[in-house]
Amino acid sequence: SAVISQKPSRDICQRGTSLTIQCQVDSQVTMMFWYRQQPGQSLTLIATANQGSEATYESGFVIDKFPISRPNLTFSTLTVSNMSPEDSSIYLCSVVDLGFYTEAFFGQGTRLTVV
Amino acid sequence: KQEVTQIPAALSVPEGENLVLNCSFTDSAIYNLQWFRQDPGKGLTSLLLIQSSQREQTSGRLNASLDKSSGRSTLYIAASQPGDSATYLCAVRQDRGSTLGRLYFGRGTQLTVWP
């Protein structure tokens, strides 16, 4: 299994500002993902973080709003830009090491409140 | 597009009961299925992973079954305890090469076990 450290665990931010969330994994992993969980909802995939290249975004999510970096196989960041109250959610980093089991592991999440 | 449904949405039971949580999915071409637990405001903890070729997996008081052809999975919790109170999420991974890593989530079953 992989151990994922996600920072910050929570934050309260002013509208119009940006927040960068970090995801650190204790081992090299093939795939990293960023999900959003809005209040009372299930998880929605934002993007796949690709090492050394631009992230692959899902429909409804754009790079200008959610820029993602992945400089190596153990680290990624997600930035939530120009925040509004609608961005208040839990943001979760997930890793998958492709193999027979292909099991996903999640960080503890970042609880973001925009005021 | 894969759609995952979980029934019931919420469940409240006294301690000691045996529970059944249901998950259904529309596209049976899955690689595997995972059950997760999420405590309020927290990340996801992987409970059980079932490969598409398997019928069931067991871990302690938890047993998950998979009927891939009918698009169903069931999570059994034996002798429930107050510490089992959490939201239980079902997620499937598609059997597609380029999107093998991503998960499709249900909305979860919110479980409350009272003493």
Side-chain angles (χ1 to χ4, degrees):
Chain A
S1 65
V3 177
I4 303 166
S5 174
Q6 192 174 330
K7 296 179 182 179
S9 58
R10 59 174 59 215
D11 208 340
I12 300 174
C13 299
Q14 297 291 322
R15 67 177 66 200
T17 63
S18 299
L19 176 72
T20 296
I21 303 167
Q22 298 182 359
C23 178
Q24 178 74 55
V25 190
D26 69 341
S27 60
Q28 294 186 348
V29 291
T30 311
M31 305 188 78
M32 296 180 77
F33 302 88
W34 288 97
Y35 289 84
R36 180 176 75 180
Q37 187 178 32
Q38 295 176 300
Q41 303 296 315
S42 192
L43 280 74
T44 301
L45 181 65
I46 297 172
T48 303
N50 300 309
Q51 192 242 337
S53 64
E54 191 171 288
T56 303
Y57 290 84
E58 295 297 303
S59 176
F61 297 95
V62 294
I63 187 171
D64 290 346
K65 176 66 175 177
F66 298 100
I68 289 171
S69 76
R70 189 180 176 191
N72 56 52
L73 293 177
T74 64
F75 185 78
S76 178
T77 65
L78 167 73
T79 299
V80 185
S81 303
N82 188 25
M83 289 184 285
S84 66
E86 291 72 33
D87 294 320
S88 297
S89 299
I90 298 175
Y91 291 85
L92 295 130
C93 169
S94 174
V95 301
V96 174
D97 206 8
L98 293 181
F100 177 75
Y101 291 105
T102 312
E103 185 172 3
F105 300 95
F106 282 79
Q108 285 303 296
T110 296
R111 189 166 200 169
L112 171 62
T113 302
V114 184
V115 298
Chain B
K1 181 184 174 183
Q2 178 74 268
E3 293 186 2
V4 181
T5 303
Q6 290 187 247
I7 297 173
L11 189 58
S12 181
V13 299
E15 182 176 8
E17 285 206 0
N18 298 324
L19 307 175
V20 176
L21 308 182
N22 296 293
C23 172
S24 62
F25 45 95
T26 55
D27 185 347
S28 62
I30 66 168
Y31 188 84
N32 58 29
L33 180 147
Q34 264 183 280
W35 283 93
F36 293 92
R37 169 186 172 137
Q38 185 177 31
D39 292 292
K42 302 294 186 182
L44 276 63
T45 300
S46 180
L47 297 174
L48 288 165
L49 172 70
I50 310 178
Q51 302 300 328
S52 61
S53 59
Q54 296 176 317
R55 297 287 291 183
E56 65 178 290
Q57 280 286 343
T58 299
S59 176
R61 294 183 293 108
L62 304 179
N63 175 277
S65 66
L66 174 64
D67 184 344
K68 180 182 171 183
S69 60
S70 67
R72 295 180 181 178
S73 177
T74 302
L75 179 67
Y76 299 90
I77 302 176
S80 59
Q81 303 170 358
D84 294 331
S85 298
T87 297
Y88 290 81
L89 293 162
C90 169
V92 299
R93 181 171 287 104
Q94 291 295 110
D95 191 7
R96 303 280 191 273
S98 63
T99 61
L100 185 58
R102 69 160 297 168
L103 290 168
Y104 293 85
F105 282 87
R107 295 168 68 96
T109 294
Q110 186 173 349
L111 173 64
T112 302
V113 182
W114 39 276

